[in-house]
Amino acid sequence: MQAGARTKREHHAYSELVARHGEPVRAYARRLTGNRSTADDVVQETLLRAWRHLHSLTDRDGSVRSWLLTVAHNVAVDQMRARRAHPVADEMWDSLQRPVPDHAETLATSAMLLPALRRLTAEHRHVLFELYYRGSTVTEAAKSIGIPPGTVKSRAHYAVRKLRAEFAAAA
């Protein structure tokens, strides 16, 4: 079943599964791997497999947690075997373990921002484009658009205010 075809009930069941079993699986993965980053990878892969097999998990007579812990164990073993098969120099491994910026929140914000921007007036969008996308000063934006600097400030103020209100309503 494709992710887009999931029902609200299935999304809710998955959310409950993660809420109920996520932390115990994470603790188990940390004990297995001894590394927080690697444990997070194990948990992510385990929960991805749970998402893919959600139907069989929700109809399951046995323990969901035991299934998740078994999957986490197998994922951790697979990762350790892969490291042994392709050893990496300590310096290289250290550089690979540095945190990587998480772009998920930026992506989610963009998904909300684009429709909200479309609901603004063309004048407000134009001012925001000049100020925030092009990085123009108020004076530069005013010259580019052909309006007084005070109008640029006013339109920017009301446009940002409307966007904040939409984001607050969505939260």
Side-chain angles (χ1 to χ4, degrees):
M1 182 182 304
Q2 294 179 353
R6 298 268 186 190
T7 65
K8 283 186 178 183
R9 191 180 120 262
E10 289 170 316
H11 282 279
H12 181 71
Y14 180 75
S15 295
E16 283 185 18
L17 179 141
V18 172
R20 182 175 294 137
H21 304 290
E23 281 309 309
V25 171
R26 185 174 312 284
Y28 179 66
R30 283 186 184 152
R31 282 192 310 272
L32 281 175
T33 63
N35 180 296
R36 184 183 198 142
S37 177
T38 305
D40 287 345
D41 291 342
V42 168
V43 171
Q44 182 176 4
E45 180 62 28
T46 301
L47 293 176
L48 177 62
R49 290 181 188 184
W51 174 254
R52 289 180 181 154
H53 297 92
L54 187 61
H55 184 68
S56 63
L57 285 175
T58 54
D59 295 340
R60 184 178 181 86
D61 289 332
S63 169
V64 172
R65 185 170 294 171
S66 65
W67 185 91
L68 291 168
L69 295 176
T70 300
V71 170
H73 179 268
N74 292 339
V75 169
V77 168
D78 288 347
Q79 285 188 0
M80 287 184 245
R81 285 180 181 156
R83 284 200 191 111
R84 277 190 228 129
H86 306 288
V88 178
D90 287 341
E91 307 82 40
M92 179 64 80
W93 184 250
D94 290 342
S95 72
L96 292 173
Q97 292 298 312
R98 289 190 193 114
V100 175
D102 183 8
H103 300 290
E105 190 169 329
T106 303
L107 183 61
T109 302
S110 294
M112 291 175 58
L113 181 61
L114 292 176
L117 283 171
R118 287 187 189 107
R119 288 188 288 273
L120 293 175
T121 65
E123 292 83 11
H124 286 149
R125 280 194 310 269
H126 197 180
V127 166
L128 292 180
F129 178 79
E130 287 294 327
L131 294 174
Y132 295 100
Y133 183 75
R134 286 199 173 146
S136 302
T137 64
V138 170
T139 305
E140 293 168 341
K143 284 181 185 175
S144 173
I145 299 171
I147 58 176
T151 305
V152 169
K153 289 180 187 178
S154 174
R155 287 181 184 173
H157 169 78
Y158 287 110
V160 170
R161 188 167 137 188
K162 181 169 180 166
L163 291 175
R164 281 188 183 141
E166 284 201 37
F167 279 110

